[in-house]
Structure formats: structure tokens, C-alpha cells
Amino acid sequence: NPFGLDNTVTTGVVSALGRDINGFGGRIIQGCIQTDASINPGNSGGPLMDSSGRLIGVNTAILAGGGGGAGTAGNIGIGFAIPVDTVRRVVNQIIRYGKVVRPTLGINVVDDRVTRSVEQQLRRNLEGVLVAQVVPQSPADRAGLNPMKLRPDGTTILGDLITQVNGQPVKQVEDLLSAIEEQEKGDLVDLTIHRSCDPNQVHVVSVRLVSRDDLEPLRNQSRGTAWVPQGRNSNVGRSRTLRDFPLPWQ
């Protein structure tokens, strides 16, 4: 307890489910439990329990009076907890492996900001996550996902666009990251893709996930090209290597 008052219990109700909050490092924490039980600064990591004493979440943040996030203004009746299903998955991995084992498809994807720029140049919607690079011998490579490619004249061939994971819509990079991280190494996921961003070529491919550690030695061999748009009305992109232009990895 931040005030030195140990063994303190506060009560309240679950006021909402499925809240998305900003976590450290800019990542979104999805599916949080909202409660009006008092959670004061320093209480993060404490249990959120139901009336039968069963763990339902782990307290992680409060909405402070000065704005969103975990501030120092004190509790105003809006707190958030990570659901127990997420906690159980992470804790079991730490017990088994000594760390969190993050599953991966073995791809690098285009940042949302760049995808929006590509949309403007193409004058059509790209609602999904664009595959920039594919790690050799990865699950995505074996499933036949296509990365972005560079023509001899310097123009770019778009890679596949991932629009769903197991039937759930993927509209931005965070949606894809969260959907994959909810799975475990060895799980089979179904990806709905638009081949080369063509909405008339919709395919569903099955991919068996591996851990990021398994693919780390192969990342610098990724096939495909990182692409940076040159201007709002330009049809030509500039190619860089993965080392020059780090991309979200999934």
C-alpha cells in the first residue's frame, strides 16, 4: 500500500468490460476490466477479486483527474485490471520458460502511418495490415505469404494485406499484434488475406505459430523490402533495408 496501510481491501463494482488502455511503450492493453473499486497509485499488481474471493484480474492503472493514464491525482472511481485469462497465460509461460514466450508469424509489417500514405497514393482503402517482409523458413514463408517487392525500375509491388485473424477483423497493426499474442507457440491460426492488396483475390491461409526466439537468427535474411513513400502524389517508393528502417515484427 502506498500509504503504508497493509492488508487493505476496497470494494466496488465491475463497471465495464473490454476496455482498451494505453500501456507503457505506447502499446495498447486490450480487453481490460473497468472497476470503481478504489485503486490508488502504487496499487498496481494487486488482485481484483469477485465476491467469492476468486481472482478475476490484476490491477494495472487508474484514470487520474488530470487526464488518461495512471497519474498521481488519486483515484476518481475509474480503474483498470488485466483479465485473469491473460494473467494466467503469461504466468504459466514465465513458470515454464522463465520468460514470456511471444508467438510469431515470421513477418515484418508496414507501419499504419505508411499504410495510410499508400492509401492516398492508390486512392483506395487498405483496411488491414500490409506485409513488408517475410522471414525465410518462417510459418508465414511456408504458408506462402507475399512481401512487398521492388521492381527494377524502382517502383514497388505491394505485398499481401492481412484483414482477419481467425475471423476477427484486423484494421491496424495493433489488432494483428494483439490477436497473435493471445495465441501460444504451436497454435494454428487462419489468416484472411488480400493477395497483393487485391480485394478480388481473397484467400484464407493457415499458419502454425512459432516463438520469436526461434526466428531471431533468421530475421536479417527477410525477403521483401521496406518501403517509404516519397510524396503524396508519387507512385514510386524508396527502398531501404530492415536495418535502416525497423518495421513492426509479427
Side-chain angles (χ1 to χ4, degrees):
N1 187 283
F3 309 112
L5 303 173
D6 294 336
N7 303 316
T8 297
V9 176
T10 60
T11 61
V13 300
V14 171
S15 48
L17 296 173
R19 293 296 196 201
D20 295 344
I21 64 173
N22 291 322
F24 291 106
R27 285 294 308 277
I28 301 295
I29 304 176
Q30 295 187 328
C32 289
I33 302 168
Q34 180 180 309
T35 178
D36 68 354
S38 294
I39 302 173
N40 292 296
N43 287 158
S44 294
L48 180 68
M49 297 181 290
D50 66 12
S51 58
S52 298
R54 295 171 298 193
L55 179 69
I56 60 173
V58 171
N59 302 323
T60 188
I62 61 174
L63 189 64
T72 58
N75 181 274
I76 61 170
I78 302 178
F80 303 99
I82 296 174
V84 68
D85 288 346
T86 301
V87 175
R88 183 184 295 113
R89 172 171 54 83
V90 171
V91 169
N92 286 341
Q93 289 180 0
I94 292 174
I95 293 172
R96 182 174 180 181
Y97 303 109
K99 61 181 180 180
V100 176
V101 178
R102 299 188 183 278
T104 181
L105 299 167
I107 59 176
N108 296 297
V109 298
V110 175
D111 184 84
D112 293 327
R113 175 183 54 83
V114 179
T115 301
R116 301 291 81 80
S117 179
V118 175
E119 283 184 329
Q120 292 178 0
Q121 296 185 42
L122 296 178
R123 292 184 174 85
R124 64 183 176 90
N125 185 40
L126 296 177
E127 190 169 283
V129 174
L130 185 57
V131 177
Q133 297 171 317
V134 175
V135 178
Q137 304 174 44
S138 68
D141 191 20
R142 290 190 288 269
L145 263 65
N146 293 329
M148 300 176 77
K149 298 176 182 178
L150 196 66
R151 295 189 181 97
D153 62 3
T155 57
T156 303
I157 301 174
L158 294 179
D160 293 338
L161 187 74
I162 300 174
T163 61
Q164 294 183 12
V165 176
N166 289 337
Q168 297 300 312
V170 170
K171 298 183 179 180
Q172 57 187 351
V173 171
E174 184 59 40
D175 294 340
L176 178 63
L177 295 175
S178 297
I180 297 302
E181 288 182 356
E182 288 175 0
Q183 310 299 318
E184 295 186 2
K185 174 183 176 181
D187 285 352
L188 193 67
V189 298
D190 291 331
L191 304 180
T192 301
I193 64 170
H194 292 179
R195 185 68 74 190
S196 299
C197 292
D198 185 348
N200 296 316
Q201 295 190 46
V202 179
H203 301 267
V204 177
V205 296
S206 296
V207 182
R208 191 170 299 280
L209 304 176
V210 299
S211 74
R212 293 190 179 195
D213 290 344
D214 292 339
L215 292 186
E216 187 63 40
L218 300 172
R219 283 196 68 204
N220 287 335
Q221 303 174 30
S222 299
R223 60 185 178 87
T225 181
W227 185 83
V228 183
Q230 287 298 287
R232 188 166 187 172
N233 298 316
S234 173
N235 290 320
V236 179
R238 182 157 48 96
S239 176
R240 295 184 181 180
T241 67
L242 180 60
R243 294 185 184 90
D244 293 332
F245 187 59
L247 299 167
W249 182 28
Q250 187 46 67

